[in-house]
Amino acid sequence: MGELSGQVAIVTGGASGIGAAAAALLQDAGATVIVADIQDAKDAAGRFVPHDVASEDSWKALLADVLATHGRLDIMVNNAGVTGGPGTPEDTTVENWRRVEAINSEGVFLGCKYAIQGMRKTGAAKTASKGSIVNVSSIAALIGSAGPTAYSASKGAVRLLSKSVAAYCAEKKYGIRCNSVHPGGVDTPIFNPLWQKVGHEQGKAFLGMAHPIGHMAEPQDLGELILWLASDRASFVTGAEFVADGGITMGLSKRRRLVASQA
């Protein structure tokens, strides 16, 4: 019997990367996991359901499926996302902006909206409204950069949306928590274009140097954080942002040595 035994979790973007790691850990902890992804996830943990996070009709169908099959929803991991390329404020097209926002921002909003509906449902096995929503954002929501513009804006939206959802659920006394996770560089398929250009190990080493800790994260590292937030071990945690970035956002990684000149 795991700590999440009897609970039901949805993980969007669970076919690979952080989502796949989180799905496996949630399942190992006893949860029934539904992997919701636009990509095929037959080899992923849990039950795969094709799902487009940018479609409200798809969200309605997913929630109806989960409640009809399992009768409850306890955990929502809104992980699905895209980079949208390296566009700057000058060269990002309106079409690309809207596509990125639809998936990364609006998709998380819809995930929160339907998670609340599902988590409020009670029955014989779940007698009170309760749940945990974990939204995967990015350090791009915390620090500025020249690009990718659409991606940074979308992840910033996720950060404050999470606080809004947390505040609302607390105000309504729903027993539903909501927090955001902000990774630095993680070895996931999102970096495949770089791996194809310079090689996987060379690319990881190059990006790892940007992290004061000295290396990129593995999906499992973020999955463990998501598991904790989903569990009752984090029962007093809501409206918070959790940075797992190997130290990128903490400030200067090296001291500048001041050497007095010799006469």
Side-chain angles (χ1 to χ4, degrees), residues 5-238:
S5 182
Q7 297 192 39
V8 177
I10 294 174
V11 181
T12 70
S16 62
I18 295 171
L25 288 167
L26 290 168
Q27 181 170 264
D28 287 347
T32 297
V33 179
I34 294 87
V35 171
D37 203 315
I38 202 167
Q39 301 180 67
D40 186 358
K42 291 181 180 178
D43 296 329
R47 178 169 69 92
F48 172 61
V49 176
H51 176 55
D52 179 2
V53 297
S55 165
E56 185 165 18
D57 287 341
S58 187
W59 274 109
K60 290 177 180 178
L62 175 62
L63 181 61
D65 174 305
V66 170
L67 293 180
T69 305
H70 306 288
R72 61 189 290 170
L73 177 62
D74 304 276
I75 299 161
M76 173 68 77
V77 181
N78 287 308
N79 166 73
V82 295
T83 63
T88 70
E90 282 196 291
D91 60 27
T92 297
T93 65
V94 171
E95 291 76 18
N96 192 51
W97 172 276
R98 289 173 177 166
R99 173 177 172 269
V100 173
E101 303 306 314
I103 296 169
N104 292 5
S105 177
E106 191 171 303
V108 176
F109 155 68
L110 290 169
C112 292
K113 177 177 181 177
Y114 287 97
I116 293 170
Q117 289 187 22
M119 291 172 181
R120 291 184 62 199
K121 183 176 176 60
T122 58
K126 184 180 179 181
T127 58
S129 172
K130 184 182 178 183
S132 175
I133 301 170
V134 184
N135 295 328
V136 179
S137 181
S138 166
I139 58 169
L142 306 173
I143 55 176
S145 67
T149 300
Y151 177 84
S152 297
S154 69
K155 292 300 185 177
V158 169
R159 173 176 173 256
L160 288 183
L161 168 67
S162 301
K163 295 180 184 298
S164 178
V165 170
Y168 171 77
C169 290
E171 181 182 88
K172 300 294 286 187
K173 301 190 185 321
Y174 285 159
I176 298 171
R177 299 181 293 107
C178 183
N179 296 284
S180 59
V181 170
H182 300 260
V186 186
D187 184 10
T188 71
I190 205 168
F191 287 108
N192 279 349
L194 177 61
W195 304 160
Q196 290 167 6
K197 288 181 180 179
V198 303
H200 188 196
E201 294 308 314
Q202 285 181 300
K204 281 186 70 174
F206 173 75
L207 292 179
M209 288 189 298
H211 299 70
I213 205 168
H215 59 83
M216 295 179 71
E218 296 299 326
Q220 180 91 2
D221 297 324
L222 277 298
E224 294 284 1
L225 176 55
I226 291 168
L227 171 62
W228 180 75
L229 287 169
S231 75
D232 283 344
R233 286 177 285 155
S235 61
F236 197 58
V237 180
T238 194

